[in-house]
Amino acid sequence: MSNGLDAKVNGSGTSRKAGEPPALLPSNGTAVAAGSAAGAADDELTGFALANLPFVEELYFQYLEDPASVDPAWRRTFQALSGGNGNGNGASALVPPAAFKRSIFAGTGVSPHASVGVTGNRISVRLLSERVQRLVEGYRELGHLTASLDPLGLVRRKLPPIALEDFGLADEDLDLVFSSENVAGPDRTSLRELVELLRETYSRTIGVELAHLHDVELRSWLQNRMESTRNRLPLTRADRVRILDQVIGAEVLEQFLQNKFLGYKRFSLEGAESLIPMLERLIERAARSGVVELVIGMAHRGRLNVLANVLHKPASEIFAEFQDKVDPNDPSSGGDVKYHLGFSIDRTFGPNATDPGTHPVHVSLAFNPSHLEWVNTVVQGRVRAKQDRVADSARTRCLPLLIHGDAAFAGQGIIAEGLNMSELDGYRVGGTVHIIVNNQVGFTTSPRDAKSTTYATDVARMLQIPIFHVNGEDPEAVSQVVDLAIDFRQRFHRDAIIELWCYRKLGHNEGDEPSYTQPVMYRTIAGKPSIRMAYLAYDTANPTPGGEAKITVEETDQIAAGKRHELEAQLDIATKAKSPPRPSTFAGAWSSIKGGPDGQVPEVPTAATPAEIQEVTRAISTMPADFHVHPKLKVVVVDGRAAMGAGDKPIDWGMGEALAFGTLLAEGTRVRLSGQDSRRGTFSHRHSVLLDYNDGHEYTPLAHIREKQGIFEVRDSPLSEASVLGFDFGYSLDMPDGLTIWEAQFGDFVNAAQVIIDQFLCSSEAKWHRVSGLVMLLPHGMEGQGPEHSNARLDRFLNLCVNDNMQVCNLTTPAQYFHALRRQVLRPYRKPLIIMSPKSLLRSPAATSPLADFTGGSFRHIIPDTELGAQRPGENVRDPKKIKRVVLCTGKVYYDLVANREERGYDDVAIVRVEQLYPLRKDDLLEILSVYAEGTPVVWVQEEPKNMGAWAYMNRELQGLLAGSFHWSSVSRPLSASPATGSMKRHAHEQARIMADAFGKGT
């Protein structure tokens, strides 16, 4: 090279010996020597790293002005740099002016200087090498802030373009050649070529965030993939035509819907049509990477376009939904609006130029309500179940793809909850690909009012994952980030984020006027050509690698005409149809399952054989020889449960649950339990996973019942209700033959997941013909623990109950719990099962069951009064002629009532337990009450305030039935805004009043 100098961009250094000028940190770069004296000085400088160079540089400039002012050891080093000259005569001319703008040494506490363009001495070369390395890292970490991302050109970027001066470099340094060993490409390159590579890679139409990545392997992989191609993916003419075909398909569909269904909401994709070729490439890339199932979750914007052009839902079906041909008298019709519906299809990608294989993939778009991001973990739960069904332990064959809006991704907290779950063993899916469609506006809200961050995606920096920002009008860039995201996910099994910068051509809906709130933006949009024309302009300005002919406007017009003709034919089909198609419900894994009315599906035997009970008991009470159980658990859990299984002790709640799980597992059923502290149990009652008392290693007894048993998975969840419940709901949708349970730490905590309950759990069958067998365990009971640890809001669930959409139980015995769990799987009927689970009853001697109740009997919806409270009917039933009052109740209050009756001798009061509140077996209840004299008072007793609990529901269901035969009333706590008192003394007073009133002894 012209000046005979060469420098490494990044190298290694050595340490100095004692007595030599101090090397404060290891070196990060070296310079090549050009003479013996200078070479010796270079050896001296090799030990210095970037962090120490401000000190050395300042000291050197001090030496140049006055050699006597520095330490003798440093003076000898600097003399060598000066070619042996022992004085500083004339050297002061080399001292540079004041610091360059935005010094790279800012914050070091040392006054910085820059030897801009100075290459005549060794220390300047050394500094130059370090500054070039800082330039490289500057592009890698800050280049995204200068990239051209906004198709509208309205966004002001955070930084001006990166300049050489910012890093102590100048134009006269551009022809220096560096050993670029840590940058992809040639081993040696000039600064000019290096800057060109970095600008194209990091500051063109792709911005990549890497600064938050401290995982060296994945960061190096990303840098190499991007820098080796300059973040470009050359597209052939055929590739470009295919992309234009997809963009035109999206454009024509929106125009067709606008013309044919004027005034209808469709939540247009216009301005973001690039999403369609992005999804097409992503699905194909995933399929060619081994993915066989892909589940998409997205909100309403662009959904119709995705359904038609990606999932290939017949346009005739979409048009029929616009025509709304449902029978208004059919209670099963109506479902949901067209832009919330899902669909699925099998797609196959055949051989191409680089891949001779054929790759099938099943693509599903999940049903989704309007609550935007709440479908995210539902989709991920579905994918986890699909992976588990096919034993995809590597989690590479099934892929979740989530499409977000920019305002929602920044604004909705469930985003952070879902991201946090992505690396947890119980919720890992091998990585989710996220696409944020950045319309640069919410409904009417501008980004400045919607986020405090630089990007809508900044919350994702919590993870060690790449974040790609791409201009939607650059088809090569869009294709490149798709390939990077899929390849990263398949290699590292982590999430990847793509932010697609585009715009929203119309208002939030087609009847909205967006210029009221964004006049400048929509003036710009009005004068902007379509995405089709932008892609054509790109093709004209960027020749293909093979120099093929440009795509013409006439070609695209011909494509558009063909698309319109196809849509006209589909509209004709829709117009002639008499009714819209209905989605299939019970196919594939669901083929043997039913939904619909509860009464149409018979009950099934749920008792276990004595041999099965003994097999499970052996498993949970026998530990490996080298496992040391905690001394307390040895007595209470291991030995105690062994005695229960042998029939020597009555069975408590924890053992009853273990027997339910164990017998199902032995039959081959998969059992998944997920919730906060679920492995031990909030109330230390479960202990499904034991830890060795000496070294802490784990042992799960229920995973060792027999060979070829079902898989037992119990997970401690993060402290997030909504996202975890959504995940487990999704899991239940794709694991219909398993037992899937979500448990709240306290029942009240379910309040934080109300959206999942309202918009998915209780209504998915009515809206989308999708049923779920998810079990929810909600600890519930008024026990003096205050407002937020007492009430699982039973009333809310009962208010949501209609048309047998779910089952709600408040059980009183371990045997009932055992049968309810087994019934949930063995009965070919899937509805959510909501259980008000116990707290104090977990250890109550009264709340136990004999072994015979597990090997005989079945689930009982309503339990009549008996002397011993046993489950089996016909056992010492109280003489109905002596009964003067009948108390109906549910759950834990039953035991308080029984204790009071026995203590006070109220033998003329019968206590009837309603174990399943919904669906309520009214005929069974009337049959039980029929043995009592007409006019006998029947009192509903509950612990909750009168405006909570089950009273309003029971009164609605029973008042008309009991009128004229029984005097119907209720006993409860008074009306209250708060679920419970915070005072134990007041709690006890209220409880005593309930007991007195229940037996008609109140004042």
Side-chain angles (χ1 to χ4, degrees):
M1 52 193 164
S2 59
N3 58 11
L5 295 173
D6 191 4
K8 278 188 179 181
V9 173
N10 189 21
S12 59
T14 59
S15 301
R16 292 179 170 273
K17 298 178 181 179
E20 294 182 341
L24 304 180
L25 289 174
S27 172
N28 198 33
T30 61
V32 177
S36 60
D42 281 341
D43 289 341
E44 296 290 322
L45 291 171
T46 296
F48 295 104
L50 184 61
N52 301 322
L53 286 175
F55 166 74
V56 179
E57 186 179 32
E58 180 71 20
L59 200 63
Y60 180 59
F61 293 137
Q62 181 181 332
Y63 161 80
L64 290 177
E65 293 183 337
D66 182 8
S69 66
V70 301
D71 182 273
W74 282 111
R75 194 182 310 144
R76 288 192 297 273
T77 298
F78 295 149
Q79 284 173 351
L81 283 171
S82 303
N85 184 0
N87 61 68
N89 284 341
S92 61
L94 294 174
V95 179
F100 50 80
K101 182 179 68 172
R102 210 173 83 237
S103 168
I104 61 172
F105 298 133
T108 63
V110 179
S111 177
H113 296 282
S115 47
V116 179
V118 178
T119 60
N121 58 74
R122 297 298 113 200
I123 194 166
S124 294
V125 173
R126 177 76 171 83
L127 285 167
L128 197 66
S129 170
E130 297 293 354
R131 288 171 179 171
V132 171
Q133 174 60 18
R134 271 301 181 94
L135 176 70
V136 171
E137 293 305 322
Y139 270 100
R140 287 171 173 171
E141 298 191 359
L142 302 174
H144 62 92
L145 294 172
T146 68
S148 175
L149 301 176
D150 179 14
L152 299 177
L154 297 176
V155 173
R156 293 184 179 180
R157 301 318 312 275
K158 294 291 185 181
L159 287 178
I162 294 173
L164 294 175
E165 304 83 56
D166 297 338
F167 296 87
L169 300 166
D171 288 346
E172 62 190 270
D173 300 320
L174 286 171
D175 293 322
L176 289 175
V177 176
F178 295 88
S179 173
S180 52
E181 60 188 26
N182 78 327
V183 179
D187 292 339
R188 291 160 54 87
T189 186
S190 69
L191 179 59
R192 185 185 308 279
E193 292 168 340
L194 182 63
V195 169
E196 182 182 358
L197 180 150
L198 294 170
R199 283 177 180 166
E200 290 195 22
T201 302
Y202 297 108
S203 296
R204 198 169 47 90
T205 52
I206 298 175
V208 187
E209 293 189 68
L210 299 173
H212 63 290
L213 301 181
H214 53 72
D215 186 313
V216 175
E217 180 187 3
L218 66 85
R219 181 165 176 159
S220 298
W221 183 88
L222 285 164
Q223 288 171 181
N224 183 68
R225 278 289 303 268
M226 294 185 295
E227 292 168 4
S228 63
T229 61
R230 302 196 176 202
N231 242 350
R232 289 183 179 272
L233 184 65
L235 299 174
T236 65
R237 189 180 195 275
D239 293 332
R240 296 182 182 190
V241 170
R242 184 164 54 250
I243 289 174
L244 265 168
D245 181 86
Q246 293 158 0
V247 167
I248 292 168
E251 179 184 281
V252 169
L253 176 65
E254 297 294 353
Q255 294 169 352
F256 192 88
L257 290 173
Q258 175 68 17
N259 293 333
K260 301 296 183 180
F261 301 101
L262 187 63
Y264 284 75
K265 288 182 181 180
R266 68 179 191 277
F267 297 100
S268 163
L269 189 63
E270 290 167 281
E273 292 96 335
S274 297
L275 178 65
I276 300 303
M278 173 176 274
L279 293 177
E280 281 290 299
R281 186 173 187 94
L282 189 152
I283 294 169
E284 180 174 357
R285 185 77 174 190
R288 295 186 187 280
S289 300
V291 172
V292 296
E293 285 225 40
L294 191 149
V295 184
I296 304 172
M298 69 179 297
H300 43 276
R301 179 153 315 282
R303 190 181 189 93
L304 295 178
N305 218 308
V306 170
L307 282 166
N309 289 311
V310 177
L311 282 97
H312 301 171
K313 179 177 180 177
S316 59
E317 294 186 17
I318 296 174
F319 299 153
E321 289 159 0
F322 273 95
Q323 293 171 342
D324 198 12
K325 294 186 176 183
V326 302
D327 178 0
N329 296 313
D330 180 358
S332 66
S333 67
D336 202 348
V337 291
K338 62 195 76 68
Y339 38 79
H340 290 170
L341 301 179
F343 196 74
S344 64
I345 188 172
D346 291 312
R347 296 194 57 181
T348 300
F349 296 93
N352 62 19
T354 59
D355 180 1
T358 298
H359 303 277
V361 59
H362 185 74
V363 184
S364 304
L365 176 61
F367 298 85
N368 189 30
S370 281
H371 236 79
L372 303 176
E373 303 296 335
W374 293 73
V375 74
N376 296 348
T377 57
V378 175
V379 165
Q380 290 165 330
R382 288 190 59 192
V383 168
R384 172 77 175 224
K386 290 176 182 292
Q387 292 169 341
D388 289 347
R389 290 188 69 85
V390 298
D392 179 18
S393 58
R395 309 207 180 279
T396 58
R397 298 175 61 196
C398 303
L399 170 69
L401 168 62
L402 298 178
I403 304 170
H404 317 266
D406 54 313
F409 198 84
Q412 295 204 317
I414 199 165
I415 291 291
E417 291 186 22
L419 291 171
N420 180 57
M421 290 166 61
S422 67
E423 292 296 311
L424 304 179
D425 286 343
Y427 309 92
R428 190 190 305 272
V429 292
T432 299
V433 176
H434 303 262
I435 297 175
I436 293 87
V437 180
N438 187 349
N439 291 312
Q440 306 187 60
V441 63
F443 192 139
T444 65
T445 303
S446 297
R448 67 175 179 272
D449 298 317
K451 59 183 175 67
S452 298
T453 55
T454 301
Y455 296 108
T457 58
D458 279 1
V459 65
R461 292 169 63 115
M462 67 193 288
L463 299 177
Q464 291 292 287
I465 60 174
I467 303 172
F468 304 103
H469 309 275
V470 61
N471 188 318
E473 292 192 348
D474 184 339
E476 285 189 355
V478 169
S479 300
Q480 168 74 351
V481 297
V482 165
D483 288 4
L484 286 170
I486 289 295
D487 294 354
F488 176 88
R489 188 268 181 183
Q490 291 297 86
R491 178 182 175 93
F492 294 102
H493 314 301
R494 301 185 186 184
D495 289 17
I497 307 286
I498 300 173
E499 184 186 29
L500 178 66
W501 281 63
C502 45
Y503 57 90
R504 190 187 70 200
K505 184 176 180 180
L506 305 174
H508 176 69
N509 61 65
E510 288 64 41
D512 205 26
E513 177 49 71
S515 64
Y516 293 157
T517 50
Q518 279 78 31
V520 176
M521 174 184 284
Y522 277 88
R523 194 177 306 121
T524 302
I525 291 173
K528 188 169 178 57
S530 66
I531 301 287
R532 184 210 310 195
M533 299 310 296
Y535 273 27
L536 271 176
Y538 176 90
D539 179 66
T540 301
N542 296 273
T544 62
E548 299 160 287
K550 305 293 182 186
I551 303 171
T552 64
V553 173
E554 290 73 20
E555 286 180 84
T556 63
D557 288 345
Q558 187 175 359
I559 293 172
K563 302 284 185 185
R564 282 190 288 270
H565 179 74
E566 292 174 8
L567 294 178
E568 288 286 0
Q570 290 289 304
L571 180 61
D572 186 56
I573 294 173
T575 302
K576 293 177 180 178
K578 295 182 179 180
S579 62
R582 294 189 179 185
S584 62
T585 306
F586 303 107
W590 288 90
S591 58
S592 61
I593 304 297
K594 296 181 175 64
D598 174 76
Q600 293 183 3
V601 182
E603 296 289 346
V604 295
T606 53
T609 67
E612 289 171 331
I613 297 292
Q614 293 310 308
E615 182 181 28
V616 174
T617 300
R618 279 195 300 272
I620 61 180
S621 60
T622 304
M623 302 295 116
D626 62 346
F627 189 83
H628 307 89
V629 183
H630 191 290
K632 292 184 179 178
L633 295 182
K634 175 69 168 63
V635 175
V636 176
V637 176
V638 179
D639 296 343
R641 290 180 179 175
M644 293 178 196
D648 298 333
K649 292 176 60 177
I651 293 174
D652 65 13
W653 216 275
M655 180 61 171
E657 179 186 77
L659 290 175
F661 291 167
T663 52
L664 287 171
L665 290 165
E667 294 164 9
T669 300
R670 187 182 191 106
V671 176
R672 174 185 169 90
L673 168 62
S674 163
Q676 294 156 14
D677 311 296
S678 287
R679 300 205 308 173
R680 190 203 75 169
T682 298
F683 309 102
S684 196
H685 69 286
R686 181 171 292 125
H687 298 287
S688 58
V689 179
L690 301 174
L691 280 77
D692 187 281
Y693 191 57
N694 291 345
D695 61 20
H697 78 271
E698 296 179 356
Y699 181 72
T700 305
L702 286 174
H704 301 277
I705 300 170
R706 63 167 68 162
E707 292 184 6
K708 298 182 180 180
Q709 68 169 68
I711 293 175
F712 181 55
E713 182 182 14
V714 56
R715 301 291 185 177
D716 285 344
S717 78
L719 201 62
S720 304
E721 287 80 22
S723 57
V724 179
L725 178 58
F727 188 99
D728 288 326
F729 172 77
Y731 193 94
S732 74
L733 293 178
D734 278 80
M735 192 64 73
D737 49 358
L739 178 63
T740 305
I741 304 173
W742 178 79
E743 181 177 51
Q745 191 177 67
F746 283 87
D748 315 63
F749 294 5
V750 78
N751 293 342
Q754 198 64 43
V755 172
I756 299 295
I757 295 165
D758 290 350
Q759 300 196 7
F760 290 94
L761 194 78
C762 79
S763 56
S764 62
E765 184 176 13
K767 293 191 294 188
W768 311 314
H769 302 279
R770 291 296 181 267
V771 297
S772 161
L774 180 69
V775 178
M776 293 176 62
L777 300 180
L778 308 178
H780 173 86
M782 313 297 283
E783 298 174 0
Q785 292 184 293
E788 272 63 70
H789 293 83
S790 300
N791 194 327
R793 300 289 184 168
L794 174 60
D795 48 294
R796 288 184 185 169
F797 287 98
L798 293 173
N799 280 333
L800 292 171
C801 288
V802 66
N803 296 330
D804 294 351
N805 60 333
M806 53 185 171
Q807 306 160 100
V808 180
C809 294
N810 196 2
L811 308 174
T812 56
T813 72
Q816 278 285 88
Y817 183 42
F818 169 88
H819 289 293
L821 291 179
R822 287 179 53 80
R823 179 185 69 156
Q824 187 70 358
V825 175
L826 300 178
R827 190 183 184 208
Y829 181 72
R830 293 295 176 267
K831 297 294 175 83
L833 171 59
I834 316 303
I835 296 179
M836 301 289 115
S837 54
K839 296 179 292 182
S840 62
L841 295 188
L842 294 170
R843 290 180 179 78
S844 171
T848 57
S849 299
L851 181 59
D853 286 351
F854 296 82
T855 57
S858 61
F859 180 76
R860 305 188 62 192
H861 297 78
I862 302 171
I863 302 178
D865 199 3
T866 65
E867 292 291 341
L868 301 177
Q871 286 203 153
R872 294 181 302 281
E875 188 176 310
N876 298 324
V877 178
R878 289 176 181 271
D879 184 356
K881 296 179 181 178
K882 298 180 180 179
I883 297 301
K884 298 180 179 179
R885 189 179 185 89
V886 177
V887 169
L888 299 184
C889 66
T890 187
K892 172 241 171 192
V893 73
Y894 165 75
Y895 290 98
D896 296 328
L897 290 166
V898 168
N900 261 266
R901 182 176 64 179
E902 292 177 356
E903 179 184 347
R904 302 183 184 277
Y906 299 145
D907 294 332
D908 57 353
V909 178
I911 303 174
V912 177
R913 287 171 276 174
V914 180
E915 299 282 295
Q916 179 171 296
L917 291 154
Y918 190 85
L920 180 62
R921 296 290 179 93
K922 299 176 189 176
D923 290 343
D924 291 356
L925 179 60
L926 289 176
E927 183 178 349
I928 290 170
L929 295 178
S930 67
V931 300
Y932 302 115
E934 186 172 322
T936 301
V938 176
V939 184
W940 176 259
V941 177
Q942 65 180 38
E943 297 180 293
E944 300 90 348
K946 191 168 188 176
N947 54 318
M948 301 179 193
W951 163 242
Y953 162 77
M954 295 297 287
N955 189 43
R956 183 172 67 243
E957 295 293 317
L958 297 181
Q959 186 176 26
L961 287 176
L962 301 182
S965 299
F966 300 98
H967 177 68
W968 174 239
S969 64
S970 69
V971 172
S972 67
R973 280 179 165 79
L975 296 166
S976 175
S978 174
T981 176
S983 164
M984 179 57 79
K985 184 180 291 187
R986 181 175 172 182
H987 165 78
H989 175 76
E990 291 174 347
Q991 200 76 0
R993 175 62 63 90
I994 289 173
M995 293 299 108
D997 290 347
F999 293 101
K1001 309 299 181 182
T1003 57

